[in-house]
Amino acid sequence: MNESLLRELVPAVIGILVRRGADFAAAEDAVQEALIRALEAWPDDPPRDAKAWLVAAAWHKFLDATRAETSRRGRELAVEVEPPAGPVPATDDSLWLYFLCAHPSLPIGSAVALTLRAVGGLTTRQIATAYLVPEATMAQRISRAKRRISGLPLDRPGDLATVLRVLYLVFNEGYTGDIDLVAEAIRLTRQLAAATDEPEVAGLLALMLLHHARRASRTGPDGRLIPLAEQDRSHWDTVLIAEGVEILQAALARDRLGEYQTQAAIAALHADAPSTAETDWVQIVEWYDELLLRTDTPVIRLNRAVAVGEADGPRAGLAALADLDPNLPRHTAARAYLLERAGDLEQAATLYAEASRTATNLPERDHLTREAARLRQLLHS
């Protein structure tokens, strides 16, 4: 498929259709139809100009829909039939596109990477960062996935686990990255939760809602990153928290614990605490231990080490951190935080500055730089 970012391309195409006279909802429907056609046609015949192709295809879809609607209304007027009252269901194939990209012939890792790139709106660099691999490696993985499904009929949707992984990574990148994908990830996960009776889907939705409830307090008016300990918890969305906890409790009651339910349980403990000091860190560590039984990753072990530092003291956290690769993203920042809590301000300042140079986004880089400057000021005061 064409390498253009769909997340950037789709709004531009919708805008062109609107300027040509289509209403926004009709333009959205037409572009969705064009995307499905692109998914079928591009593997065998990629266009030279992806945007122009989508504009033309979407405009034709819009004209076809308009003609069909005009004909329908004409027939109704001719027989004087009054259309039934009530809302007309909106057409939305976004979730179906996720399932189509998660092709059964692909390994789950390749299917997730391809879906994130083709439909999720993430760049190859963002996907590589999420997978902790070099960008060139991820680019090759995505290219191989595209070659593998090239020419295959796209009528066999992928499995639920792959789509859940994609939605989870889209949400995470939208929550911490440069592109706002959070609302779209929540919207699609709500659709999925309404369509399936799977506790892990409910667990993922609860996790998203609990994290999103705290989003407004994560940055200041000037865009500054505000760490959890300093956030104004009165700004947390208690309605979203209540909804997330209710969904999570119903999922846990099914006694089919999975990765997303476990992560949501950790998020719920944070959301329930009046302050960082009053957080039940011991229980959070226990949930991290449960999570490691289901998905043992370096990132989860790093987060667990920080929780151990809160529950058992910073030296215990540093000991847990020592077992991990120091090149792991945010490892240096976590070590700086634990060293500061242990009283080693000089080493902590050095590590904050070092971590700022490898931060993956500007707010995080600025925050770490300010932390280093703060400690240096304390050392020289």
Side-chain angles (χ1 to χ4, degrees):
M1 286 188 65
N2 191 280
E3 288 293 327
S4 298
L5 279 174
L6 291 181
R7 178 58 56 179
E8 296 176 357
L9 201 56
V10 168
V13 176
I14 291 175
I16 290 172
L17 265 63
V18 170
R19 289 194 293 274
R20 288 184 179 183
D23 65 74
F24 189 83
E28 275 192 319
D29 289 346
V31 173
Q32 292 290 348
E33 292 288 333
L35 286 175
I36 294 173
R37 178 61 187 138
L39 204 59
E40 297 170 347
W42 287 8
D44 294 326
D45 186 20
R48 291 184 179 180
D49 187 333
K51 182 177 179 180
W53 192 101
L54 278 177
V55 169
W59 184 246
H60 284 305
K61 293 290 184 182
F62 168 72
L63 292 178
D64 289 345
T66 301
R67 292 189 189 104
E69 179 66 13
T70 301
S71 297
R72 183 188 66 78
R73 288 179 179 176
R75 290 192 300 270
E76 289 177 348
L77 288 172
V79 295
E80 297 183 348
V81 174
E82 185 70 22
V88 177
T91 301
D92 186 353
D93 296 312
S94 300
L95 191 58
W96 181 240
L97 289 175
Y98 275 75
F99 274 96
L100 286 179
C101 275
H103 199 276
S105 68
L106 295 175
I108 184 169
S110 297
V112 169
L114 177 62
T115 313
L116 288 170
R117 185 71 181 92
V119 186
L122 272 63
T123 65
T124 303
R125 176 185 60 80
Q126 290 171 318
I127 301 168
T129 300
Y131 272 87
L132 306 178
V133 299
E135 184 175 351
T137 301
M138 182 53 65
Q140 291 174 356
R141 185 180 301 177
I142 294 172
S143 295
R144 284 196 299 269
K146 286 192 284 189
R147 287 196 300 269
R148 185 164 181 172
I149 66 171
S150 177
L152 295 176
L154 297 176
D155 57 356
R156 296 170 56 208
D159 64 8
L160 181 62
T162 301
V163 174
L164 285 180
R165 177 61 57 183
V166 173
L167 290 170
Y168 172 75
L169 291 173
V170 168
F171 178 85
N172 280 350
E173 188 59 40
Y175 192 65
T176 61
D178 302 323
I179 304 174
D180 189 353
L181 302 170
V182 170
E184 179 69 358
I186 292 176
R187 183 181 73 86
L188 293 176
T189 307
R190 282 191 186 279
Q191 288 186 9
L192 196 55
T196 182
D197 187 32
E198 170 56 50
E200 272 293 80
V201 178
L204 179 58
L205 178 57
L207 175 63
M208 289 179 176
L209 295 176
L210 289 165
H211 277 303
H212 192 46
R214 309 199 309 255
R215 191 179 188 191
S217 64
R218 293 184 71 250
T219 55
D222 57 355
R224 281 189 171 193
L225 185 66
I226 303 175
L228 179 63
E230 299 173 19
Q231 289 175 17
D232 183 349
R233 299 186 180 218
S234 66
H235 291 166
W236 290 3
D237 189 328
T238 55
V239 174
L240 281 184
I241 291 173
E243 182 185 5
V245 169
E246 181 179 0
I247 292 171
L248 173 62
Q249 288 174 339
L252 292 175
R254 303 283 299 279
D255 199 23
R256 289 165 53 193
L257 188 62
E259 171 189 354
Y260 302 117
Q261 295 170 74
T262 308
Q263 289 194 53
I266 295 170
L269 286 168
H270 283 297
D272 186 56
S275 68
T276 301
E278 296 170 272
T279 302
D280 190 345
W281 290 105
V282 172
Q283 192 174 352
I284 286 178
V285 172
E286 291 173 353
W287 276 111
Y288 270 120
D289 291 337
E290 192 73 41
L291 184 58
L292 286 172
L293 296 176
R294 286 160 175 78
T295 173
D296 190 344
T297 70
V299 173
I300 292 172
R301 288 193 172 274
L302 185 143
N303 291 337
R304 179 187 179 278
V306 174
V308 168
E310 300 287 355
D312 301 328
R315 293 298 174 189
L318 287 166
L321 204 61
D323 295 332
L324 301 177
D325 182 354
N327 294 318
L328 185 68
R330 297 189 172 91
H331 183 284
T332 304
R335 187 160 174 254
Y337 171 74
L338 291 170
L339 282 170
E340 179 187 353
R341 292 195 62 234
D344 191 346
L345 302 190
E346 186 170 352
Q347 180 67 4
T350 300
L351 290 178
Y352 275 132
E354 181 182 331
S356 71
R357 293 190 287 271
T358 58
T360 57
N361 58 71
L362 185 58
E364 184 179 347
R365 185 181 311 141
D366 289 345
H367 169 70
L368 293 168
T369 301
R370 287 194 303 272
E371 292 296 278
R374 175 180 60 82
L375 292 187
R376 284 170 179 154
Q377 186 176 11
L378 285 174
L379 287 166
H380 294 96
S381 60

